[in-house]
């Protein structure tokens, strides 16, 4: 159902190095990998059941399970009736992915997989927002003010925020002081959360994300403020598609339905960007995952899709030092997957470093090189949704951080404060969050600016331009120490940590190069005999095709840390030095989450305090 945004005036208060001489050894390794994959899928119907569903059959999980069935062709009433005859109940049609959501008896899974029309069956998996707890200098760090000075602010561009909902707070209004006219830029709202009354933000995550994209900073602008919290495209329109509940949790089916709605509304609201600051564990190849198939459909419809990398960069549960932890749908090679940087609370970029919790590639199963780009995502200040459960001490923003005058606020009742002068007043308009959820909308805002500058740009051209112009200036390594555990984490600035580099909006806007092919992210290939890694792209992919889009131009010259660092030489990360290569780890499953009960693995956790 739709909700009407609140209307009120905002208060003024190919191959890296293009290695073409791999020879017979690489061909043999590839053949071994393909044979291994084929053997794992042998056994008829088993390849049609996701691994977590196959394991569910022998558990005490209950008589029925919600599943997404993808068919070889768009399902008809006849397909639905066949499922119903096996005890299934149709819950939601998903024409976008040639599938549907059903509730089916666990005992009927094998019979359903036997159907020749069925392509793949997976559970309706849970997912959630990928944030942790300053937009203080986020915009400045990526040179967004340069765009504003050129008159580029996202006006007329629609950005679909698929999240916990967006509440139309004052910073998301347009306002013309000269004639005192105003109105909400949350131009459309729809709820996809079962049993929820409307599309308002009952969690606080989606409103924060929307502010990073399009917050106008009205509540921190004026003579009494010394800093203004503006989003990257402060005049863009927001299309609010709520898929996460009051706890920040949702399901695949809700997100897929929201993506399908965004595609259908593309022309009505000029939706050119979809922001997905959410994710879940990867369970299979992106070619099978229904969530990935949905984002590819949006991409192919002409909408740029941005996805959070995830917050598992510290995960060393299987000895990978956080590598291989990119979440879905950020594992899809078409979308722009975003990792998180720390601004060090300064305008300059020279002291910025990667957040140690930012998930790293390559992706599980497919070995896709991710993330694609990084952007500010640590301790970002953005818009606060009234009554949001995310309100808590670590997320507080104090008025003294951006105002020359302050007001007293009772921490337990932020919305009903009384005015007076005090040094410890808490902002009623902003909160602080951290994570790749916060970095993703920074790049979504940048994409909106590029669309405004040149509406004819395709998603592939926008992705290519953002990646090519991203800054490649990083330290060789950086460290972060957890004050609670005392553990120190070391990050190397390789392709699987920072992708093509650090978002630079000014550089992207000044670039005129047009990619003329797909910009699907390349696949990483490891040669255990030489302990080297290379990138492989398809023949119809732009990377490596010319000097303009050569791999060394887009990713830099030291993306593999010269190919000999501890990361690439470590047999723990890449598997034993055998013909299996790194498929020992990356090809056999997921290096994070629960190995025994993947159907109950939790999605990315909310990070409130971030890193110093």
């Amino acid at each position: 159902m739709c909700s009407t945004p609140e209307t009120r005036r905002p208060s003024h208060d190919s191959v890296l190095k293009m290695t073409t001489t791999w020879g017979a050894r690489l061909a043999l390794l590839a053949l071994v990998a393909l044979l291994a994959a084929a053997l794992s899928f042998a056994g008829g119907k088993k390849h049609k059941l996701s691994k977590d569903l196959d394991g569910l059959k022998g558990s005490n999980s209950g008589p029925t399970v919600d599943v997404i069935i993808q068919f070889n062709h768009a399902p008809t009433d006849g397909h639905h009736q066949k499922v119903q005859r096996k005890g299934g109940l149709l819950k939601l049609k998903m024409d976008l992915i040639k599938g549907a959501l059903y509730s089916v008896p666990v005992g009927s899974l094998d019979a359903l997989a036997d159907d020749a029309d069925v392509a793949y069956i997976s559970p309706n998996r849970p997912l959630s927002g990928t944030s942790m707890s300053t937009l203080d200098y986020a915009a400045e760090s990526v040179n967004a003010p340069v765009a504003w000075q050129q008159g580029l602010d996202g006006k007329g561009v629609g950005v679909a925020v698929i999240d916990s909902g967006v509440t139309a707070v004052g910073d998301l209004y347009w306002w013309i002081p000269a004639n005192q006219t105003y109105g909400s830029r949350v131009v459309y709202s729809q709820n996809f959360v079962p049993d929820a009354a409307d599309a308002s933000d009952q969690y606080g995550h989606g409103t924060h994300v929307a502010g990073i994209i399009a917050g106008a900073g009205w509540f921190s602008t004026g003579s009494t403020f010394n800093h203004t919290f503006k989003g990257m495209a402060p005049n863009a329109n927001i299309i609010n598609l709520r898929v996460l509940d009051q706890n920040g949790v949702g399901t695949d089916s809700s997100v897929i339905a929201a993506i399908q709605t965004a595609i259908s509304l593309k022309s009505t609201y000029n939706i050119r960007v979809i922001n997905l600051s959410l994710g879940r564990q990867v369970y299979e190849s992106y070619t099978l995952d229904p969530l990935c198939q949905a984002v590819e459909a949006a991409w192919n419809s002409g909408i740029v899709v941005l996805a959070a990398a995830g917050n598992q960069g510290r995960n060393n549960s299987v000895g990978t030092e956080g590598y291989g932890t990119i979440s879905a749908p950020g594992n899809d090679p078409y979308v722009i997957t975003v990792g998180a940087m720390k601004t060090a609370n300064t305008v300059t970029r020279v002291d910025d470093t990667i957040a140690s919790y930012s998930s790293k590639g390559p992706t599980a199963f497919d070995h896709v090189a991710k993330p694609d780009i990084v952007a500010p995502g640590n301790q970002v200040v953005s818009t606060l949704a009234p009554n949001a459960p995310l309100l808590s001490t670590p997320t507080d923003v104090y008025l003294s951080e951006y105002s020359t005058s302050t007001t007293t606020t009772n921490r337990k009742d932020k919305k009903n404060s009384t005015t007076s002068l005090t040094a410890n007043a808490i902002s009623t308009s902003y909160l602080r969050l951290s994570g790749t959820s916060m970095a993703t909308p920074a790049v979504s805002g940048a994409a909106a600016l590029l669309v405004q500058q040149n509406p004819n740009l395709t998603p592939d051209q926008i992705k290519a331009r953002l990646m090519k112009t991203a800054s490649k200036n990083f330290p060789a390594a950086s460290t972060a120490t957890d004050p609670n555990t005392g553990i120190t984490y070391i990050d190397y600035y390789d392709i699987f940590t920072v992708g093509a580099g650090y978002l630079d909006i000014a550089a992207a806007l000044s670039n005129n190069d047009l990619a003329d092919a797909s910009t699907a992210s390349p696949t990483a290939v490891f040669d255990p005999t030489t302990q080297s890694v290379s990138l492989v792209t398809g023949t119809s992919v732009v990377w490596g095709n010319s000097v303009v889009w050569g791999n060394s131009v887009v990713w830099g010259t030291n993306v593999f840390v010269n190919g000999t660092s501890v990361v690439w030489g470590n047999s723990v990360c890449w598997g034993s030095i055998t013909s299996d290569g790194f498929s020992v780890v990356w090809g056999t499953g997921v290096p994070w989450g629960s190995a025994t009960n993947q159907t109950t693995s939790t999605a990315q956790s909310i990070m409130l305090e971030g890193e110093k």
Side-chain angles (χ1 to χ4, degrees):
M1 63 183 292
C2 298
S3 66
T4 302
E6 171 191 9
T7 302
R8 63 184 179 86
R9 174 181 172 180
S11 171
H12 189 62
D13 230 92
S14 137
V15 179
L16 188 73
K17 309 171 188 174
M18 292 312 293
T19 314
T20 58
T21 59
W22 283 88
R25 176 178 289 122
L26 180 56
L28 179 60
L29 287 174
L31 179 59
V32 169
L34 286 173
L35 287 174
L39 287 172
S40 70
F41 285 150
K45 61 178 175 276
K46 283 201 171 183
H47 76 283
K48 294 184 179 182
L49 286 177
S50 67
K51 190 174 181 180
D52 40 346
L53 265 187
D54 198 45
L56 188 67
K57 293 186 298 182
S59 68
N60 297 319
S61 58
T64 63
V65 60
D66 283 357
V67 298
I68 296 173
I69 300 180
Q70 297 179 72
F71 296 90
N72 294 315
H73 305 284
T76 64
D77 289 341
H79 291 91
H80 302 316
Q81 289 167 8
K82 288 171 69 175
V83 176
Q84 290 167 359
R85 285 196 293 269
K86 292 180 174 63
L89 174 67
L90 175 63
K91 302 183 73 172
L92 181 67
K93 294 181 179 180
M94 297 180 176
D95 295 340
L96 181 69
I97 60 169
K98 295 186 290 189
L101 172 68
Y102 304 91
S103 175
V104 302
V106 173
S108 70
L109 290 172
D110 280 340
L112 289 167
D114 279 334
D115 192 318
D117 290 330
V118 170
Y120 193 67
I121 308 175
S122 58
N124 188 24
R125 295 165 177 141
L127 45 75
S128 72
T130 53
S131 68
M132 290 170 52
S133 208
T134 55
L135 189 58
D136 284 19
Y137 300 107
E140 290 85 348
S141 294
V142 296
N143 293 320
V146 173
W148 308 336
Q149 292 163 8
Q150 295 175 11
L152 296 173
D153 57 6
K155 183 177 181 180
V157 179
V159 181
V161 176
I162 299 178
D163 212 289
S164 64
V166 178
T167 299
V169 295
D171 273 6
L172 296 176
Y173 272 57
W174 59 266
W175 179 34
I176 303 177
N179 57 14
Q180 297 295 295
T181 57
Y182 56 89
S184 174
R185 287 184 288 111
V186 182
V187 295
Y188 180 87
S189 293
Q190 185 172 342
N191 172 58
F192 297 87
V193 178
D195 303 322
D198 56 47
S200 62
D201 189 359
Q202 301 299 309
Y203 185 51
H205 190 268
T207 302
H208 193 274
V209 165
I212 297 172
I213 297 170
W218 299 125
F219 283 72
S220 51
T221 298
S223 59
T224 60
F225 298 100
N226 52 43
H227 189 85
T228 299
F229 301 120
K230 291 177 68 174
M232 304 298 164
N235 204 18
N237 291 328
I238 298 295
I239 291 79
N240 167 31
L241 304 176
R242 183 189 179 197
V243 298
L244 304 180
D245 64 15
Q246 68 276 11
N247 299 310
V249 176
T251 60
D252 280 1
S253 59
S254 293
V255 176
I256 293 169
I259 292 172
Q260 184 163 322
T261 297
I263 295 172
S264 68
L265 295 174
K266 178 190 173 188
S267 298
T268 304
Y269 295 102
N270 193 29
I271 299 174
R272 298 294 303 277
V273 181
I274 288 177
N275 188 94
L276 293 167
S277 289
L278 45 78
R280 59 152 168 80
Q281 186 169 325
V282 176
Y283 294 97
E284 62 266 306
S285 167
Y286 74 88
T287 61
L288 297 172
D289 191 324
L291 192 58
C292 293
Q293 292 307 294
V295 297
E296 285 189 22
W299 190 272
N300 291 331
S301 75
I303 301 176
V304 184
V305 182
L306 290 297
N311 299 326
Q312 293 286 325
R314 291 182 171 187
N315 192 324
N316 194 36
S317 58
V318 292
T320 63
E321 304 293 345
Y323 287 91
T325 57
I326 298 292
S327 61
N331 63 316
D332 191 283
Y334 290 91
V335 305
I336 303 175
T337 305
V338 186
M341 292 286 288
K342 301 183 293 185
T343 66
N345 278 329
T346 63
V347 174
T348 178
R349 303 161 63 99
V350 296
D351 54 358
D352 293 7
T353 54
I354 193 73
S356 65
Y357 52 76
S358 185
S359 286
K360 306 169 189 175
T363 67
F365 295 97
D366 301 296
H367 315 158
V368 178
K370 292 283 184 173
D372 296 299
I373 197 168
V374 291
N378 191 66
Q379 297 186 346
V380 176
V381 172
S382 184
T383 43
L384 180 154
N387 306 313
L390 276 178
L391 302 180
S392 61
T393 301
T395 70
D396 284 339
V397 174
Y398 291 92
L399 282 173
S400 57
E401 295 183 53
Y402 66 100
S403 176
T404 55
S405 63
T406 59
T407 59
T408 298
T409 302
N410 182 334
R411 186 184 301 278
K412 295 182 179 179
D413 188 6
K414 291 190 178 186
K415 305 303 170 296
N416 299 309
S417 61
T418 56
T419 301
S420 67
L421 295 179
T422 174
N424 296 317
I426 301 168
S427 173
T428 60
S429 302
Y430 303 103
L431 79 161
R432 177 179 288 108
L433 293 174
S434 298
T436 57
S437 273
M438 284 55 257
T440 305
V443 187
S444 290
L449 295 172
L450 285 173
V451 169
Q452 182 187 12
Q453 182 191 49
N454 183 354
N456 295 320
L457 290 177
T458 67
D460 287 295
Q461 290 168 341
I462 290 172
K463 180 179 179 180
R465 193 171 289 186
L466 287 171
M467 291 175 65
K468 178 179 180 178
T469 59
S471 171
K472 323 295 182 193
N473 297 320
F474 294 107
S478 62
T479 62
T481 301
D482 189 321
N484 298 318
T485 65
I487 298 175
T488 296
Y489 298 90
I490 303 176
D491 287 295
Y492 301 96
Y493 289 74
D494 53 70
I495 188 173
F496 298 138
T497 302
V498 298
Y502 197 175
L503 173 66
D504 188 335
I505 291 176
L509 290 172
S510 64
N511 183 273
N512 294 314
D513 297 329
L514 294 175
D516 58 0
S518 168
T519 55
S521 302
T523 299
V525 176
F526 175 67
D527 184 349
T529 60
T530 61
Q531 293 288 287
S532 63
V533 184
S534 295
L535 297 183
V536 175
T537 61
T539 56
S540 60
V541 178
V542 69
W543 315 125
N545 284 351
S546 66
V547 175
V548 176
W549 300 111
N551 286 306
S552 62
V553 174
V554 176
W555 282 277
T557 56
N558 293 315
V559 290
F560 288 132
V561 197
N562 297 322
T564 57
S565 78
V566 65
V567 174
W568 316 122
N570 188 335
S571 62
V572 174
C573 281
W574 293 106
S576 59
I577 304 175
T578 67
S579 60
D580 288 326
F582 68 10
S583 66
V584 170
V585 172
W586 312 120
T588 58
V590 186
W592 54 288
S594 170
T596 58
N597 191 356
Q598 293 185 339
T599 58
T600 59
S601 296
T602 57
Q604 312 300 328
S605 59
I606 295 296
M607 305 288 288
L608 298 179
E609 298 185 46
E611 291 181 2
K612 302 300 183 185

